[in-house]
């Protein structure tokens, strides 16, 4: 559905990442934004028969997230919106030291398929020092254990992001 950005402009899907290496979004164009585009997640339709079931499982995975894993998100997180009927989850994560807030969204754009679009982004600053990649990968790993196709962020695919953020793993 349509959403409004912080300036009040409407858009369909998830907000595109900007030029800064501190965001990943599965709805970014692979041609225009290869450094920020990631594959969407897909639930296993043989295990989960509906979008509501899939988002309930996704919600459980998010709720089980460990603040402080990989030395990120030590300030915890807050699930702001959970709407399994619409196929949407919005979560805010907080850094421990500076209280920076990052945004994570999961959304079904096409109601006819089993594809969940993903966006994880820093609100402030230019670099994220690998935080968004680590967060996505943690959640993707947990979803893969439940049978999802959730590729995450691979170091070999996102070398530019890793170099700019001065990280060697995520």
């Amino acid at each position: 559905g349509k959403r409004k950005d912080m300036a009040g402009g409407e858009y369909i899907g998830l907000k595109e990442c900007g030029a800064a290496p501190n965001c990943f979004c599965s709805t970014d164009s692979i041609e225009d934004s290869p450094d920020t585009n990631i594959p969407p997640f897909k639930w296993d339709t043989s295990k989960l028969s509906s979008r509501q079931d899939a988002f309930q499982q996704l919600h459980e995975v998010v709720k089980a997230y460990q603040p402080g894993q990989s030395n990120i998100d030590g300030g915890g997180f807050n699930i702001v919106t959970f709407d399994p009927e619409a196929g949407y989850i919005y979560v805010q994560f907080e850094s421990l030291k500076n209280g920076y807030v990052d945004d994570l969204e999961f959304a079904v754009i096409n109601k006819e398929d089993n594809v969940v679009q993903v966006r994880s982004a820093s609100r402030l600053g230019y670099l994220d020092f690998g935080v968004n990649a680590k967060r996505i990968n943690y959640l993707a790993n947990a979803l893969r254990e439940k049978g999802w196709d959730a590729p995450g962020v691979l170091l070999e695919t996102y070398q530019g992001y890793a170099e700019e953020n001065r990280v060697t793993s995520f």
Side-chain angles (χ1 to χ4, degrees):
K2 288 187 178 178
R3 305 188 200 299
K4 289 190 177 187
D5 61 22
M6 293 193 321
E10 287 190 350
Y11 59 96
I12 293 176
L14 299 176
K15 185 178 175 187
E16 290 182 3
C17 294
N22 64 8
C23 176
F24 291 100
C25 185
S26 60
T27 58
D28 279 6
S29 162
I30 188 78
E31 292 82 20
D32 297 338
S33 304
D35 293 335
T36 60
N37 172 275
I38 57 169
F41 295 172
K42 297 176 185 174
W43 70 84
D44 183 343
T45 56
S46 70
K47 294 181 180 178
L48 299 166
S49 61
S50 70
R51 177 177 61 251
Q52 291 86 349
D53 290 346
F55 268 76
Q56 191 62 50
Q57 187 173 70
L58 184 55
H59 183 247
E60 294 301 319
V61 165
V62 171
K63 285 192 329 187
Y65 183 83
Q66 295 295 313
Q69 65 87 17
S70 298
N71 293 316
I72 68 166
D73 301 326
F77 64 94
N78 178 36
I79 299 171
V80 177
T81 305
F82 170 53
D83 187 344
E85 189 68 35
Y88 183 73
I89 297 176
Y90 169 51
V91 188
Q92 294 176 343
F93 291 85
E94 187 174 333
S95 66
L96 181 61
K97 292 180 184 173
N98 299 317
Y100 295 128
V101 175
D102 291 351
D103 299 301
L104 174 72
E105 293 177 282
F106 295 103
V108 169
I109 306 301
N110 180 352
K111 304 293 185 205
E112 306 306 313
D113 62 26
N114 65 324
V115 177
V116 177
Q117 303 297 337
V118 183
R119 181 178 190 272
S120 185
S122 299
R123 287 188 187 174
L124 298 172
Y126 182 75
L127 300 175
D128 75 354
F129 305 102
V131 168
N132 286 291
K134 290 175 182 178
R135 180 182 305 120
I136 290 169
N137 286 345
Y138 183 93
L139 294 166
N141 287 335
L143 288 168
R144 282 195 301 273
E145 290 175 7
K146 297 185 177 299
W148 287 57
D149 175 10
V153 181
L154 303 174
L155 182 63
E156 56 271 15
T157 308
Y158 299 94
Q159 284 292 321
Y161 167 84
E163 289 170 12
E164 280 195 83
N165 281 288
R166 297 180 223 103
V167 294
T168 56
S169 66
F170 33 81

